């Protein structure tokens, strides 16, 4: 059941808000660690969300400030194998695959979540399940039977040394996922399929990582970075820091 729309916020889409893309742009910097903004797949294909798939994007605006406070993004793509065979490079694969499906003129048969982004000061206000429900309703309106999602487990950054395959098995006493964001999806009926271990890959020079994090990396090795779900591997001789983010494949039935 869809939660009540927050009465103090305005629902916006690219169709009813010509400045949609401009309004939601600041949400990324407000919500994600700086290093998360440097994924090459996102850099190449982010504009496709608005140019190729405008019907799948939505958000909320605070009329009092004129600022966007939440955004949901998804894409249509084609997937013919079983969900247990979804690729290990989840998020990066999904965005690139949606663009390729569209370019090739293929008929998509599944909706895939890209992100739900809520400004930090608006979290805990009941927007999370509402945003997921809206995303699901978009898929239903397009005739899809499933919404797949490479979900970023929000609390994994507190346990960066934990193996993701073990982490997704952690449960609360009432049998729901330990992780709060996985739990939101599970409460709405989504099923955990498996971890996708290489959902996003971010490379940068040592200087770039120092700029992104405000930290220093005096020798090669693994470093725990605030906001990262796994340690970042540094090779000073190669002048590279490599971050490989794990996500979790979850599936919502839309029928």
């Amino acid at each position: 059941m869809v939660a009540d729309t927050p009465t103090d916020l305005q629902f916006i889409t690219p169709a009813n808000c010509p400045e949609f893309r401009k309004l939601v742009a600041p949400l990324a910097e407000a919500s994600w660690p700086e290093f998360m903004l440097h994924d090459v797949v996102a850099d190449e294909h982010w504009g496709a969300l608005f140019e190729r798939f405008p019907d799948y994007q939505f958000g909320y605006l605070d009329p009092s400030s004129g600022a966007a406070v939440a955004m949901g993004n998804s894409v249509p793509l084609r997937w013919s194998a079983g969900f247990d065979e979804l690729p290990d490079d989840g998020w990066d694969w999904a965005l690139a695959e949606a663009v390729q499906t569209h370019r090739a003129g293929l008929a998509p048969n599944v909706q895939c979540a890209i992100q739900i982004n809520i400004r930090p000061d608006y979290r805990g206000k009941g927007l999370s399940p509402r945003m997921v429900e809206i995303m699901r309703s978009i898929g239903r309106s397009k005739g899809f039977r499933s919404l797949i999602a490479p979900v970023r487990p929000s609390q994994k950054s507190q346990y960066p040394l934990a193996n993701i395959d073990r982490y997704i098995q952690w449960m609360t006493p009432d049998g729901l996922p330990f992780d709060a964001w996985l739990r939101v999806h599970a409460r709405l009926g989504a099923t955990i399929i498996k971890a996708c271990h290489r959902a996003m890959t971010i490379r940068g020079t040592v200087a770039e990582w120092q700029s992104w994090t405000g930290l220093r990396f005096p020798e090669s090795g693994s470093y725990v970075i605030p906001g990262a779900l796994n340690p970042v591997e540094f090779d000073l001789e190669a002048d590279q820091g490599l971050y490989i983010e794990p996500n979790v494949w979850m599936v919502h039935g839309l029928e």
Side-chain angles (χ1 to χ4, degrees), residues 65-255:
S65 66
V69 301
M71 171 173 58
N73 308 104
S74 68
V75 293
L77 56 81
R78 188 160 189 85
W79 179 253
S80 300
F83 291 139
D84 59 344
E85 298 180 51
L86 283 164
D88 211 28
D89 47 347
W91 193 96
D92 281 350
W93 167 81
L95 184 54
E97 184 67 18
V99 172
Q100 180 58 34
T101 296
H102 190 268
R103 283 175 176 166
L106 300 175
N109 61 359
V110 69
Q111 179 189 20
C112 184
I114 293 299
Q115 72 164 352
I116 288 176
N117 188 336
I118 300 173
R119 209 171 72 185
D121 55 327
Y122 275 80
R123 295 172 188 169
K125 300 180 183 292
L127 274 175
S128 295
R130 171 65 185 174
M131 298 287 285
V132 177
E133 284 284 22
I134 293 170
M135 189 174 288
R136 286 159 48 109
S137 71
I138 291 172
R140 289 192 192 97
S141 74
K142 299 296 185 180
F144 295 127
R145 300 174 63 183
S146 301
L147 166 68
I148 60 176
V151 181
R152 187 178 201 261
S154 60
Q155 291 176 282
K156 176 68 169 66
S157 62
Q158 300 172 25
Y159 306 91
L161 303 182
N163 178 280
I164 186 64
D165 295 298
R166 296 285 299 168
Y167 181 80
I168 63 177
Q169 297 178 34
W170 297 0
M171 296 289 164
T172 62
D174 55 356
L176 289 168
F178 169 84
D179 186 87
W181 193 219
L182 300 183
R183 198 160 58 242
V184 168
H185 286 268
R187 281 181 171 144
L188 293 171
T191 301
I192 292 177
I193 303 300
K194 62 179 181 178
C196 41
H197 301 86
R198 301 187 303 275
M200 185 177 285
T201 299
I202 298 172
R203 291 181 174 86
T205 65
V206 174
E208 286 173 331
W209 276 99
Q210 290 178 163
S211 173
W212 298 341
T213 64
L215 301 175
R216 294 292 178 267
F217 308 102
E219 62 181 36
S220 297
S222 300
Y223 288 80
V224 171
I225 303 295
L229 309 190
N230 275 345
V232 180
E233 300 295 328
F234 282 90
D235 182 339
L236 268 63
E237 185 173 339
D239 191 24
Q240 177 179 266
L242 175 63
Y243 173 59
I244 300 177
E245 170 158 304
N247 285 176
V248 182
W249 278 117
M250 301 187 74
V251 175
H252 291 259
L254 299 181
E255 296 181 299

